[in-house]
């Protein structure tokens, strides 16, 4: 048996929540390794719907250990609110089943203030952030002025670090014409929240090493998607962390050999939230219909997602950059109502044709899709649990996707329900 890394292969919102939940039944430990509470995962278990942002998807299962790794930026108030919310749904979360890395970076109220001020100043050129302070928190970590989870244990350390932090942030807020942060109030808020967070704090890399030695199966859970990776995505319309599989090692505190099988979650069409290039976007009735049938609204923001045809160029690039061994194809049933489908097989930029997403932002914005048209099946695939239940034309569509992205379908999801999953290859058995 092997460990498994789950990452998104598009711009996020590919259905990772369900797949991670399905896999977590086979895992012992579930680790979040990057991102913050800007991510949103929806789990449907029986009649209960769980909406998670910071908590790893394994928390809904009482016999699993969940870890928030050092690569995650943690808003302590958002974390406590989420713990309280899922507790209201009958999920018991204790320091025994949830462990937060002591060296993770904290998101403070000043980060969201700066995030929103920057977006407002960008006007029409806004990136489309969630305004939750993710980017500014990662900036502070890189600049070595961040407040970390472990700092909550020492008020004197907190006070000294806040002095340094506020020199930077208050200067920026003044420049944007925003109110400055009062140190006394912020310090008091951190001192007040500390005893509620500290019981969950652990040296998580040691726990993960112990789990490895004991032969436990670990599921590494990513947020967003590769096309939002700060290095490999459609920069600058990206998130502020690395979303590729390699980040699982850095963001959890394990060596790269511990990662195992890399599974890329891939929607059977394409969606995007926020600003940025989107070659296959459909600003027409078809795009609207995809959004309506697929219930395409952001879990965290509630914003409607932009919808378009499947982009094989983009996913193939994600497969190669992310080192994916296979994909989990989701939301196939959304396409049941269409008599004709299109797949993007290349981009046209001026008089050039490309088979990859270029790095230059001007080229990304100018890219138009080269389509291949396929016959739809106009039959229900919803709830199918075997290949025999799928229409032949649906199987043909899947096989063509595999061919174009140069990766096999390991799992096929045919509804939000956990059991409506066709297993071609169990990633843990790799």
């Amino acid at each position: 048996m092997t460990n498994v890394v789950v990452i998104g292969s598009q711009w996020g919102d590919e259905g990772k929540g369900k797949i991670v939940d399905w896999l977590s039944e086979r895992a012992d430990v579930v680790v979040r390794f990057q991102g913050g509470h800007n991510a949103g995962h929806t789990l449907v278990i029986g009649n209960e719907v769980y909406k998670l942002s910071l908590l790893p998807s394994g928390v809904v299962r009482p016999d699993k250990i969940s870890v928030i790794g050092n690569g995650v930026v943690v808003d302590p108030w958002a974390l406590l609110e989420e713990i309280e919310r899922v507790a209201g749904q009958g999920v018991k979360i204790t320091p025994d089943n949830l462990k937060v890395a002591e060296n993770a970076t904290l998101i403070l109220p000043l980060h969201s203030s700066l995030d929103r001020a920057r977006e407002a100043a960008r006007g029409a050129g806004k990136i489309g952030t969630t305004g939750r302070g993710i980017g500014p928190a990662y900036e502070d970590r890189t600049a070595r002025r961040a407040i970390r989870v472990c700092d909550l244990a020492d008020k004197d350390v907190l006070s000294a670090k806040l002095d340094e932090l506020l020199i930077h942030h208050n200067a920026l807020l003044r420049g944007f014409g925003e109110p400055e942060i009062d140190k006394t109030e912020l310090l008091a808020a951190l001192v007040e929240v500390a005893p509620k967070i500290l019981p969950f704090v652990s040296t998580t890399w040691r726990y993960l090493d112990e789990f490895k030695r004991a032969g436990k199966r670990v599921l590494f859970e990513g947020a967003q998607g590769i096309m939002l990776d700060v290095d490999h995505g459609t920069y600058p319309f990206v998130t502020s962390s690395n979303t590729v599989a390699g980040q699982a090692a850095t963001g959890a505190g394990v060596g790269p050999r511990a990662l195992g099988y890399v599974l890329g979650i891939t929607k059977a069409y394409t969606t995007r939230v926020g600003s940025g290039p989107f070659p296959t976007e459909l600003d027409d009735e078809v795009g609207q219909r995809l959004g309506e049938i697929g219930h395409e609204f952001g879990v965290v923001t509630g914003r409607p997602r932009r919808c378009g045809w499947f982009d094989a160029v983009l996913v193939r690039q994600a497969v190669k950059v992310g080192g994916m061994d296979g994909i989990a194809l989701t939301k196939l049933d959304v396409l049941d109502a269409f008599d004709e489908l299109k797949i993007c097989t290349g981009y046209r930029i001026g008089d050039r044709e490309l088979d990859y997403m270029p790095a230059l932002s001007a080229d990304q914005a100018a890219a138009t899709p080269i389509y291949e048209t396929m016959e739809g099946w106009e039959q229900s695939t919803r709830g199918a649990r075997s290949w025999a239940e799928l229409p032949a034309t649906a199987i043909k569509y899947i096989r063509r996707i595999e061919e174009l992205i140069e990766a096999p379908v390991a799992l096929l999801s045919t509804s939000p329900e956990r059991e409506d999953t066709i297993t071609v290859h169990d990633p843990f058995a790799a």
Side-chain angles (χ1 to χ4, degrees):
M1 306 300 285
T2 186
N3 297 330
V4 175
V5 183
V6 171
I7 55 177
S9 70
Q10 293 154 310
W11 279 294
D13 307 310
E14 300 97 346
K16 288 185 289 296
K18 173 198 166 166
I19 300 299
V20 170
D21 175 58
W22 188 88
L23 289 167
S24 68
E25 191 174 36
R26 296 152 178 77
D28 301 299
V29 185
V30 182
V31 185
R32 266 288 304 277
F33 60 83
Q34 52 79 218
H37 65 309
N38 57 337
H41 292 169
T42 300
L43 312 182
V44 180
I45 302 176
N47 295 322
E48 199 73 48
V49 178
Y50 302 94
K51 293 185 181 294
L52 306 179
S53 293
L54 265 175
L55 292 172
S57 298
V59 296
V60 299
R61 301 190 174 279
D63 57 338
K64 310 300 178 184
I65 295 174
S66 293
V67 175
I68 296 177
N70 57 274
V72 178
V73 284
V74 180
D75 181 320
W77 298 278
L79 177 59
L80 290 172
E81 186 277 330
E82 193 171 329
I83 290 173
E84 184 177 340
R85 176 161 45 79
V86 298
Q89 294 181 272
V91 177
K92 188 177 181 181
I93 298 177
T94 71
D96 291 327
N97 66 359
L98 174 64
K99 302 184 184 301
V100 180
E102 62 185 354
N103 53 336
T105 293
L106 289 177
I107 298 176
L108 307 178
L110 57 84
H111 292 126
S112 55
S113 296
L114 179 58
D115 205 354
R116 291 191 296 268
R118 280 179 174 166
E119 279 288 83
R122 289 187 181 107
K126 65 181 181 179
I127 292 173
T129 75
T130 60
R132 299 194 171 204
I134 310 299
Y138 274 117
E139 288 176 36
D140 282 345
R141 185 181 74 167
T142 302
R144 295 164 297 193
R145 58 174 171 260
I147 308 295
R148 303 198 297 174
V149 172
C150 55
D151 297 329
L152 292 174
D154 191 319
K155 183 178 179 180
D156 291 336
V157 168
L158 267 178
S159 180
K161 294 188 78 170
L162 282 177
D163 285 333
E164 180 184 355
L165 189 66
L166 291 179
I167 289 172
H168 174 80
H169 277 275
N170 279 337
L172 287 173
L173 289 171
R174 281 196 303 273
F176 284 112
E178 297 291 327
E180 295 184 31
I181 304 297
D182 182 272
K183 177 195 169 180
T184 303
E185 290 182 7
L186 180 54
L187 179 59
L190 287 168
V191 169
E192 190 271 336
V193 80
K196 301 174 185 178
I197 294 292
L198 287 172
F200 297 100
V201 177
S202 301
T203 308
T204 52
W205 65 265
R206 291 192 66 182
Y207 272 106
L208 291 172
D209 184 61
E210 290 170 9
F211 296 146
K212 175 186 173 184
R213 292 173 182 273
K216 303 286 188 183
R217 282 176 289 186
V218 182
L219 178 60
F220 297 93
E221 176 184 10
Q224 289 93 30
I226 284 186
M227 286 300 132
L228 290 174
D229 184 280
V230 70
D231 288 311
H232 300 287
T234 48
Y235 190 91
F237 299 97
V238 293
T239 193
S240 298
S241 59
N242 288 110
T243 61
V244 294
Q247 178 61 24
T250 305
V254 300
R257 292 180 181 175
L259 300 185
Y261 190 98
V262 179
L263 181 69
I265 315 302
T266 307
K267 197 177 286 186
Y269 49 102
T270 311
T271 62
R272 177 166 201 172
V273 170
S275 306
F278 185 173
T280 66
E281 182 173 12
L282 297 170
D283 291 315
D284 58 14
E285 186 180 318
V286 174
Q288 183 178 351
R289 196 174 175 200
L290 280 170
E292 290 171 352
I293 298 173
H295 304 292
E296 296 296 352
F297 297 92
V299 174
V300 170
T301 64
R303 291 181 292 184
R305 297 176 185 137
R306 302 154 63 190
C307 298
W309 293 121
F310 187 83
D311 190 334
V313 179
L314 180 143
V315 176
R316 181 173 61 246
Q317 186 164 328
V319 165
K320 296 180 183 301
V321 172
M324 296 176 192
D325 296 293
I327 67 166
L329 191 65
T330 66
K331 290 201 163 186
L332 182 72
D333 55 300
V334 174
L335 301 179
D336 289 350
F338 296 89
D339 61 354
E340 183 179 273
L341 305 172
K342 293 183 179 181
I343 298 177
C344 175
T345 59
Y347 301 138
R348 186 171 286 107
I349 303 172
D351 58 356
R352 295 177 293 155
E353 288 189 8
L354 296 182
D355 62 356
Y356 65 95
M357 176 66 80
L360 186 65
S361 57
D363 281 348
Q364 293 175 357
T368 58
I370 299 170
Y371 281 126
E372 178 178 302
T373 301
M374 297 192 70
E375 181 186 356
W377 42 91
E378 294 189 283
Q379 300 176 53
S380 177
T381 62
R382 188 176 179 85
R385 299 183 182 181
S386 71
W387 286 103
E389 297 176 58
L390 296 175
T393 43
I395 295 174
K396 185 178 179 181
Y397 180 77
I398 295 165
R399 294 303 185 209
R400 184 56 177 151
I401 283 177
E402 289 180 314
E403 188 178 8
L404 288 168
I405 69 172
E406 300 177 18
V409 170
L411 301 173
L412 181 66
S413 171
T414 56
S415 93
E417 299 293 334
R418 182 168 54 88
E419 298 303 325
D420 292 340
T421 305
I422 299 172
T423 305
V424 182
H425 175 77
D426 183 352
F428 279 117

